[in-house]
Amino acid sequence: MNNSEIKLKICRSTILYDFLTKYNLLENYIRKIFEESVVNLDAINKNFLYFYYGTKIDIYMEFQNSKIMSVPFEFNDSEKFKKITFNQIIKIQKQRNIIKKLDGDIQSIQSKTYYSICDLCIKLISMRNKLAHEICKCNFKNSDIVEKLSDENICKYIEKYNYDFNVSQMSDDVKEIFSNVVYIDVVMEKL
C-alpha cells in the first residue's frame, strides 16, 4: 500500500468515525428531548403513544414447553417510552408533531432550500443503516444524503474541523458522508 492509499484510508476512517460519533450524539439528544417531552403531552397524544408502545411487546419462544410467551408489560403515568427507537420517534414526530423543539427547519448550506429536522434525520438514519452493512464502498442515494456539499464548501468545513487532509483525498461517497457530518452539526446547533 502506497502513501496515497494510506492517506485515503485515514481520510475515510476519520470521516466514518466522525459521522457515527456525531450521529450517536444526535440520536441520544433527540431521545432525551423526546423522553422529557412525553411527560407533558396532552391525553390524545399520550394515548396514541401508549397504543403504539403496546405493539412493541416482546414475544419469545419457550422451547422447553413449546410455548410462545410474552414479557409482562405495564403502563404508568410517568412512562418515558424508552423502547421506541430513534427512527420511530422521528416518524411519530413527522406524523403527529408532538415535540415542539423538533418542529423546525434547517436551511441548506448551498441554496435557499429548507429541510425539516424530521426529513433530515430520516436521511441520516438511512445513511447510518447503510454504513452498518456496507462500510467499504457505499452507493448512497438521495434518500441517504441531506445535500452533497460542493468541493468548495467541503474545503471550508475541512478547515473548520481542522482535518489534516483535503478534498482531493475524498471519494464521492466520503464527500457524501462528510456532508451529512456537517448537517448533523447544523441540527445540533439548532436544537
Side-chain angles (χ1 to χ4, degrees):
M1 191 178 305
N2 64 38
N3 198 27
S4 176
E5 291 172 326
I6 292 171
K7 285 184 177 184
L8 289 173
K9 282 192 173 200
I10 290 170
C11 174
R12 180 179 196 79
S13 301
T14 301
I15 291 171
L16 278 169
Y17 176 81
D18 282 354
F19 174 81
L20 293 171
T21 302
K22 289 176 185 232
Y23 174 91
N24 192 274
L25 290 171
L26 176 66
E27 178 180 13
N28 290 336
Y29 189 63
I30 288 179
R31 179 174 301 288
K32 180 181 175 202
I33 291 170
F34 177 77
E35 289 173 5
E36 290 171 355
S37 299
V38 295
V39 175
N40 299 319
L41 281 180
D42 60 83
I44 292 171
N45 283 312
K46 200 156 197 178
N47 286 338
F48 170 81
L49 288 178
Y50 281 123
F51 179 76
Y52 184 79
Y53 208 47
T55 67
K56 302 290 155 206
I57 59 171
D58 292 325
I59 297 175
Y60 62 95
M61 179 74 171
E62 190 178 272
F63 290 99
Q64 294 169 331
N65 299 324
S66 297
K67 291 182 181 179
I68 295 176
M69 305 292 293
S70 67
V71 176
F73 197 75
E74 294 181 26
F75 296 102
N76 62 59
D77 289 337
S78 60
E79 183 65 58
K80 301 270 184 158
F81 303 96
K82 291 183 181 276
K83 287 188 179 185
I84 295 178
T85 67
F86 179 42
N87 190 24
Q88 292 164 341
I89 290 170
I90 296 302
K91 287 179 180 177
I92 291 167
Q93 174 63 19
K94 188 172 172 70
Q95 178 195 17
R96 299 188 73 90
N97 193 24
I98 61 175
I99 304 164
K100 297 303 173 212
K101 197 166 186 177
L102 298 179
D103 181 31
D105 293 324
I106 303 294
Q107 184 172 4
S108 162
I109 291 169
Q110 303 182 137
S111 71
K112 295 182 181 189
T113 305
Y114 283 85
Y115 306 101
S116 75
I117 290 174
C118 288
D119 289 339
L120 198 142
C121 285
I122 289 168
K123 289 175 183 264
L124 296 173
I125 291 166
S126 181
M127 177 176 277
R128 202 275 295 160
N129 290 343
K130 279 196 176 174
L131 288 172
H133 300 284
E134 307 169 21
I135 201 159
C136 291
K137 189 67 176 167
C138 301
N139 294 314
F140 296 117
K141 297 182 171 113
N142 286 339
S143 60
D144 310 316
I145 309 156
V146 176
E147 170 181 52
K148 184 177 177 185
L149 298 177
S150 67
D151 285 357
E152 181 181 322
N153 278 321
I154 289 174
C155 287
K156 289 178 190 175
Y157 283 96
I158 286 173
E159 190 175 306
K160 179 182 176 184
Y161 294 159
N162 293 318
Y163 285 138
D164 191 23
F165 44 80
N166 61 53
V167 73
S168 66
Q169 296 170 312
M170 300 169 107
S171 61
D172 281 342
D173 63 333
V174 171
K175 289 176 183 179
E176 293 163 346
I177 297 166
F178 183 75
S179 297
N180 276 2
V181 167
V182 171
Y183 273 101
I184 291 172
D185 285 342
V186 171
V187 171
M188 289 296 286
E189 287 173 16
K190 172 127 181 164
L191 295 175

